[in-house]
Amino acid sequence: MNKDLPAIRLRALEPEDLDLLYRIENDRSLWNVGTTNVPYSRYTLHDYIAHASGDIYIDRQVRLIIENAEGMTVGIVDIVDFDPKHQRAELGLVIEQSYRHQGYALATLDELTDYALHQLHLHQLYVCIAADNTPALTLFRKLGYLESAALKDWLFDGTAYHDAVLMQKILSPGA
């Protein structure tokens, strides 16, 4: 872990996180950067929290809350589309607006990469980023992700299609 980055802790979802999850999942400004394009009810999200096993091998995904050194929630990070046969997974990350540009995304992805490599024994992580999302593209390039595909008209915002970039990072011990 880079000592210049803020200290973070990743933890499992708790019932107390329902309001945060509801706010993030229903934030229409985030729908253009991911695959979500419908609102989620509190009931659906409550049910998700209650029934997620916490076992990535069963659920094929895991969602973790990001906390800072003071115990404040700064965001959520997901490992989704987990494929144990091919040892890869997709990442999703949302940092709360008031905590952006403070190093939390970098600290989170640094810790998550270590977890993916040493606990899950993954060979690669990947992200799909809107081609015009310069901050995210810059972040993942800084972390050693390489652009592997340009995806034409990949993301639909309800009005127009937008290009995306598939980025991958091959993990190796010592990474």
Side-chain angles (χ1 to χ4, degrees):
M1 177 85 170
N2 184 333
K3 65 183 177 183
D4 295 328
L5 296 176
I8 58 120
R9 179 174 81 103
L10 301 177
R11 66 164 176 81
L13 278 173
E14 297 288 349
E16 297 78 25
D17 298 316
L18 179 60
D19 288 339
L20 169 73
L21 194 58
Y22 182 80
R23 187 174 65 252
I24 287 174
E25 291 293 349
N26 291 295
D27 182 345
R28 289 178 182 259
S29 70
L30 297 174
W31 290 3
N32 294 340
V33 298
T35 57
T36 299
N37 62 359
V38 296
Y40 285 93
S41 69
R42 285 186 185 278
Y43 176 82
T44 299
L45 294 171
H46 179 272
D47 191 56
Y48 169 77
I49 292 170
H51 293 97
S53 71
D55 184 339
I56 194 167
Y57 289 92
I58 293 171
D59 298 336
R60 297 289 194 250
Q61 67 176 349
V62 66
R63 176 169 274 174
L64 301 167
I65 297 296
I66 309 159
E67 290 183 342
N68 65 13
E70 292 76 36
M72 302 299 296
T73 299
V74 300
I76 296 178
V77 64
D78 300 317
I79 300 175
V80 298
D81 292 333
F82 171 65
D83 186 333
K85 178 180 178 184
H86 300 292
Q87 298 175 305
R88 66 178 172 240
E90 182 178 2
L91 296 182
L93 173 67
V94 174
I95 300 294
E96 291 273 77
Q97 187 69 37
S98 60
Y99 293 101
R100 291 182 187 163
H101 309 292
Q102 297 176 37
Y104 288 110
L106 194 57
T108 298
L109 293 170
D110 188 46
E111 187 158 326
L112 194 72
T113 300
D114 183 69
Y115 172 72
L117 178 63
H118 296 105
Q119 302 302 314
L120 300 178
H121 308 289
L122 293 181
H123 173 65
Q124 70 176 285
L125 294 170
Y126 66 93
V127 292
C128 184
I129 301 171
D132 63 354
N133 187 344
T134 303
L137 293 169
T138 301
L139 171 68
F140 282 95
R141 284 183 190 120
K142 184 175 185 176
L143 290 165
Y145 282 71
L146 300 175
E147 296 176 27
S148 59
L151 306 168
K152 294 293 183 190
D153 290 348
W154 197 256
L155 302 171
F156 184 63
D157 67 9
T159 305
Y161 290 93
H162 303 275
D163 295 348
V165 176
L166 181 67
M167 300 181 79
Q168 297 170 275
K169 180 171 184 167
I170 305 300
L171 305 178
S172 60

